[in-house]
Amino acid sequence: MRESDAISGLLENKKGSVSTLYKPQFFRLNQSASRKDFIQLLDTAGVIVHDTIQEQIAELIKFRHPSVKFTPKALQDKVQEFIKNIPLEEYGVWVHYPWSNRLLHVLDEKEFIEIRTSRNQYKITPEERDELSGKKIGVIGLSVGQSVAVTLAMERICGELRLADFDLLELTNLNRIRTGLHNLGLAKVYSVAREIAEIDPFLNVICFPEGIHDENMEAFFCSGGKLDLMIEESDGFDIKILSRYKARELKIPVLMEASDRCMVDVERFDLEPERSILHGLVDHLDVATLKSLKTTEEKIPYMLDILGIDTASLRLKASMLEIEQTINTWPQLASAVTMGGGITADVARRILLNQFKGSGRYFIDVEELVGDKMPNASVLPELPVMLNTNVSEITKKLELKALPTPYILDKEKAACIVNAACLAPSGGNFQPWKWVYTSGRLLLFNAFDAQDTFLGADDLPSLIAFGAAIENLTLKASELGLQTHCTEFPKSDKEELIAIFEFSENTAIKTQLSNRISSIGLRLTNRNLGHREKIEDTILQNLQAIEKEIPGAGIRFFTEDKVLDEIAEVLGEVEKLRLLEEMGHRDFVNEIRWTAEENDEKKDGVDLRTLDITNAERVGLQVARDKGIIKLLNEWKGGGAFKKLTKKSIDSASAIGLISMPGSTKADYMNGGKILQKVWLDANASGIAFQPVSSSLFVYARLFNAQGEGISEEGKKALLGLRPRFERALDLKPGRKEIFIFRLCKAAEPKVKSLRKPLDEVLVCL
Ligand SMILES: Cc1cc2nc3c(=O)[nH]c(=O)nc-3n(C[C@H](O)[C@H](O)[C@H](O)COP(=O)(O)O)c2cc1C
């Protein structure tokens, strides 16, 4: 036999099976049956006897005579006198712990409790101790719950503990659950029950190793007498809610501690039986729905409602973004779990003694209470910042009234045309335009101070938006039988004046009407993921042919899987770097309209509902709003979650389009915007979903054109390092300037459409 086989054989012989015993056995030698069993036990192999009864009696005597200083001899005499003529081994009780085969000799219950709790007095009076020893506490969930249950037992603030958890102990639990390695694989309930039995064998512990469910809920709360307090520390969302409904029905107070910022949650259903569970945070939920929630994905938004993500610690929030990126699940520390145990036990005692009656949510944030005051992080201005342009003054200076124009546009037509122009897309839906109607003409002004935005270097996104708006304007005018004559970037001492539009009547133009007009109101950004399905060649060819409509414009499509995969990687990486920058992060947070109400009120920005994201990703984004997380994620070299969203959207794209121009003048960008709008209108008209994925171009514009202002040194280095791969992935050609990147796919129509500011806010009539 090989030596290793011999070792395996020996190990196999020695392996113990995982026992589920958790109740100690008592032997009282003054009872004959018990005595017989005791003798039999002593006869079995491996029993380890530990007898300190004499010392325990001595402790009891000293406790009962606090003013007497006993000599060792006097104390020994007192012990003899105390036990009278009972043989020492028969005094008290023998307790056998089958899981460790230890046999201990201890005082019997009354004296044991008296002496084991003696150091509690008068923090807990004997009367309070006796009152508490009749209390029954249920603990659901045994991470924080383990610490709580053991502390409750040590302090002895109950006589019975019902423990529920279906989990087994794993090595990853041992960063916060105080137990030995020999317990790995054991149900958490048994591990805690044994620990308690080893501290106090007289406490009645009842285990629910399957956790709490519909069938055993009644037994957990009521069997053997109604619970006096429920401590809820479960990870299971439905159980959190359902157990509270039950507790409220039975008028049982509920206590919960979240091991983050020591959040303690108290619900006095005994005093306020009508009280909404969880302070009304989940009132909108229906129990039937709760029971049907299966995946973490489905549960997460509700979990958020319960825990209140805004009040979570910064590190927890940042960590949540790293789940499934660099960690498996959210972190929990032994210090927090230990504190949670202590704080919960303290509050539990006062609730049980009716010394504390206040329901509510309380924070004992140690870092806040004992910590250096953090200097305020740099305060970037709130976006969008509108330019303080006096459009009437600039307009007046142009003295347009004195100049001839081929056609005097009336006010109604002006409004109609501007309305169509404003339906154009704009970066972050900031609608950077201001329109002036004057002397039968229209003027377009830049109203948005993009320079201070991360992606706005050189106003590039605004110029593209103006180009798109001009395309709409021209189309709408032609529908009205008008030809547009546009003077771009007219001479003016103010750069904010972008274009002057004059019109002339042209009936022929109406007959050459393009289909694009009807697409103006239908065009939209479709962020739904869809799937990588081939787009018909003719559609792509027609879209590509649009490049001929503006001299110098170029349109290319990438459709090969391998190429798309690489573009997804690279654009995802740039997006991550953008969001890890303080300014980039601020802009992103600012651009999103986080609630329907905010969206309706502001009528700009990107409605969160238009993003095709999972519940978990939505939670992630909400968490990511806190600017403090950026510093942490940078320190941890994390942020992978930021890459994921862009990568996912390109992973589901059928094609990536790249618009380029021969140069990088303002006119090139504005023309790029016109081309963009033409492609977008036609793509949407062909039933193809269109979404810009262009932010990387604006990030590089900040790096190269604005000397990287606002980008951290690490960010600059990373972007420069990535640049060759970026150029290769998009096959950028020398002599061409990349203006815009978008993805095309086949996807469902979005349910929500972006809004626009009312016309009277963007159009001035002079
Ligand atoms: C210059 C520019 C950049 C844009 N960048 C993005 C982008 O990176 N991601 C995205 O989803 N949408 C992007 N968009 C689309 C706008 O967010 C969108 O046009 C705006 O929210 C209005 O919505 P609508 O296109 O559905 O009318 C961009 C649009 C423009 C003009």
Side-chain angles (χ1 to χ4, degrees), residues 407-417 437 440-441 482:
Y407 174 81
I408 302 285
L409 187 71
D410 67 42
K411 210 170 156 181
E412 284 66 41
K413 284 198 176 97
C416 175
I417 290 172
Y437 167 68
R441 301 162 171 95
L482 298 171

Side-chain angles (χ1 to χ4, degrees), residues 305-324:
D305 285 342
I306 294 178
L307 296 178
I309 211 67
D310 288 341
T311 52
S313 72
L314 200 57
R315 274 187 188 248
L316 182 65
K317 285 193 217 175
S319 306
M320 284 182 90
L321 289 174
E322 288 302 304
I323 292 175
E324 290 181 8

Side-chain angles (χ1 to χ4, degrees), residues 553-573:
I555 301 171
R556 298 180 59 195
F557 288 108
F558 303 95
T559 52
E560 246 184 77
D561 279 348
K562 247 173 73 185
V563 177
L564 294 179
D565 290 346
E566 177 62 1
I567 294 177
E569 273 295 318
V570 181
L571 297 196
E573 197 58 33

Side-chain angles (χ1 to χ4, degrees), residues 566-635:
E566 177 62 1
I567 294 177
E569 273 295 318
V570 181
L571 297 196
E573 197 58 33
V574 180
E575 184 67 353
K576 179 182 98 179
L577 293 171
R578 164 170 91 104
L579 295 174
L580 285 175
E581 293 295 327
E582 191 189 350
M583 198 177 176
H585 175 262
R586 173 209 56 180
D587 292 3
F588 164 75
V589 173
N590 228 295
E591 177 178 306
I592 301 290
R593 296 292 161 255
W594 297 92
T595 60
E597 293 75 36
E598 187 190 6
N599 192 54
D600 289 345
E601 186 201 329
K602 295 188 173 158
K603 296 188 168 52
D604 62 7
V606 174
D607 189 330
L608 184 65
R609 294 171 298 177
T610 63
L611 308 189
D612 187 358
I613 49 178
T614 62
N615 283 332
E617 286 162 350
R618 182 167 298 113
V619 172
L621 284 184
Q622 262 151 359
V623 167
R625 293 165 71 175
D626 192 322
K627 64 181 171 197
I629 63 157
I630 293 306
K631 193 165 161 276
L632 289 177
L633 292 180
N634 274 305
E635 276 171 24

Side-chain angles (χ1 to χ4, degrees), residues 423-429 460-462 464-465 523-527 591 605-606 611 676 680 691-695 698 740 754 756:
L423 290 177
S426 58
N429 197 22
L460 303 183
S462 299
I464 292 171
R523 184 217 54 84
L524 47 73
T525 304
N526 188 335
R527 301 184 176 93
E591 177 178 306
V606 174
L611 308 189
L676 164 70
W680 204 327
Q691 184 195 3
V693 284
S694 207
S695 57
F698 308 123
F740 207 82
S754 68
R756 293 296 183 275

